[in-house]
Amino acid sequence: MSDSAVPTIDLFNLGAKGLQHHGLRRANERAVLTVVGFNPGLSNAEIARMSGLAPQTVSAILNDVEAAGLIVRGEVLRGRRGQPATPIFLRPEGAYSIGIEIGWRHADVLAINLHGAVVAHRHLDYAEADLATLAPQLTTLIEEMTGDWPKEQRERLADIGVGMPGSIHAATWPLEQGAGSKSGPSPSDFAADLEKRTGLAVTLFNDGNAACWAELIAQPAPRPASFIYLLVSTYLAAGLIGEGRLWQGPTGHSADLGAILVDRDERGPLSAHAIASASALVERLVAAGFAVDIGDIENWDWPAFEPVVEPWLEDCAEALALVVFNTNAVVEASLVVLDTILPTAITARLVERLAVHFDRLPARRRVSIAAGHIGRLAPALGAAELPLYHRFFSRNLLEKPRD
């Protein structure tokens, strides 16, 4: 079991360390896999040009990763100038990963292949996220998803990534402690339990960070080097990509943008969670006399709810504009990606209103605001993608190498 957070390290101490030969070889292998993964169909020579490695080095690495079952070679391309070229692709069956989102009221479990395609999915609703009971339930779902996999496919499944809010195990904030709340096992204890039950390596991520990573992968090339990511879910999940890196912080739960104070009332300061979230919308609907199930948002009677939805959209957009303004005062990001667990049409309206409210602020930096590509499955998908990235593509020498 491992945590996604990296210990504090003196930058200059790290820079003073040399590379062992095996470490350099591993970094080069991952560089080649990254080029192949994000530029499918390139030839050996093209991979060498993009990676900056010698053609002989690339050829040797391709032979190794092909033997490991991670790439496949396409049909030879003839009729071009020079020697016939063979396109190289990641082999989708080369590796698999499980991604789990543990939300306040639900869990999503999915399996992806090396192309990042979802090959299985399960959903679980519950009254509260009790980590003491979730490990056996999630193990059962994973067994249902993978039980009929052939032996070779099962052997290529090595990782589980789990995305969850940092305080979900205690249910203290943004939820109020009260009847039905619990003080269950810590996330690390839960991860150790899940790892023991499944026999798979388990890595914990913040749900917003995981969703942000999934959005980064889903962005068309060339991908933005920096952007602010917001996911209006049960509460407000968020993430930051800064200069090409996911900003996770020392605990793995940085970029908690939903905690930014955006308003106040007779109760005192209000965080973005209290306004820009599906829970805030549910509170307004219930107060207006509507009976709603937050687990079945897609099937709500949205036309009937419009008298409540429209003012909530305005308040939500205004709060999110302040979140973006305050975040952009610290991190230079010209792009904001806004996603939700709500229907696509509602998300589009919220994106448009966020742009309007942001333009009313005395912003020194202008931003582009776009809708996300994934929606409610973003945290689970990112939680599945991150372990594959760490195992096969990342060249961070602090991470464990591929077995």
Side-chain angles (χ1 to χ4, degrees), residues 293-304:
D293 177 6
I294 197 171
D296 192 33
I297 286 178
E298 289 290 336
N299 294 316
W300 283 2
D301 187 355
W302 287 93

Side-chain angles (χ1 to χ4, degrees), residues 45-133:
E46 291 168 326
I47 294 169
R49 283 195 294 272
M50 289 195 68
S51 65
L53 298 173
Q56 299 90 332
T57 300
V58 170
S59 180
I61 290 173
L62 290 176
N63 287 336
D64 288 346
V65 294
E66 182 179 26
L70 298 176
I71 66 166
V72 293
R73 300 178 191 266
E75 295 292 331
V76 176
L77 301 176
R78 304 184 186 277
R80 297 181 175 185
R81 297 177 62 182
Q83 293 294 322
T86 301
I88 309 297
F89 303 90
L90 283 184
R91 180 172 174 255
E93 303 85 6
Y96 296 87
S97 178
I98 300 290
I100 301 173
E101 180 205 3
I102 297 180
W104 297 98
R105 298 289 182 260
H106 75 276
D108 276 298
V109 186
L110 51 81
I112 65 171
N113 62 23
L114 195 54
H115 280 190
V118 177
V119 298
H121 174 223
R122 297 291 188 276
H123 180 84
L124 176 67
D125 289 313
Y126 40 73
E128 64 174 6
D130 186 348
L131 297 187
T133 63

Side-chain angles (χ1 to χ4, degrees), residues 114-171:
L114 195 54
H115 280 190
V118 177
V119 298
H121 174 223
R122 297 291 188 276
H123 180 84
L124 176 67
D125 289 313
Y126 40 73
E128 64 174 6
D130 186 348
L131 297 187
T133 63
L134 273 174
Q137 290 178 286
L138 295 171
T139 300
T140 298
L141 291 180
I142 293 170
E143 290 173 349
E144 289 178 2
M145 291 166 52
T146 63
D148 61 350
W149 286 13
K151 182 174 182 291
E152 181 186 359
Q153 184 178 7
R154 185 63 177 79
E155 289 175 346
R156 290 183 177 274
L157 172 62
D159 294 291
I160 298 175
V162 180
M164 67 172 77
S167 60
I168 199 167
H169 62 293

Side-chain angles (χ1 to χ4, degrees), residues 213-267:
W213 183 262
E215 179 60 37
L216 174 65
I217 300 301
Q219 287 280 321
R223 291 172 178 81
S226 301
F227 67 88
I228 299 167
Y229 175 81
L230 302 169
L231 176 64
V232 177
S233 185
T234 305
Y235 292 98
L236 181 61
L240 286 174
I241 298 292
E243 299 179 359
R245 297 181 65 89
L246 179 64
W247 186 17
Q248 299 184 80
T251 68
H253 295 285
S254 291
D256 184 10
L257 307 185
I260 291 177
L261 300 178
V262 295
D263 202 353
R264 66 180 297 119
D265 61 12
E266 65 279 0
R267 296 171 293 176

Side-chain angles (χ1 to χ4, degrees), residues 277-302:
S277 65
S279 292
L281 175 58
V282 168
E283 287 183 8
R284 295 191 183 200
L285 289 168
V286 171
F290 295 106
V292 294
D293 177 6
I294 197 171
D296 192 33
I297 286 178
E298 289 290 336
N299 294 316
W300 283 2
D301 187 355
W302 287 93

Side-chain angles (χ1 to χ4, degrees), residues 26-39 47 51 61-62 65-66 70-71 88-91 114 391-395 402:
R26 181 72 67 186
N28 288 342
E29 177 184 301
R30 292 177 172 208
V32 168
L33 285 173
T34 299
V35 172
V36 173
F38 291 94
N39 304 273
I47 294 169
S51 65
I61 290 173
L62 290 176
V65 294
E66 182 179 26
L70 298 176
I71 66 166
I88 309 297
F89 303 90
L90 283 184
R91 180 172 174 255
L114 195 54
R391 184 172 287 271
F392 295 107
F393 304 101
S394 173
R395 293 181 294 286
R402 178 169 58 82

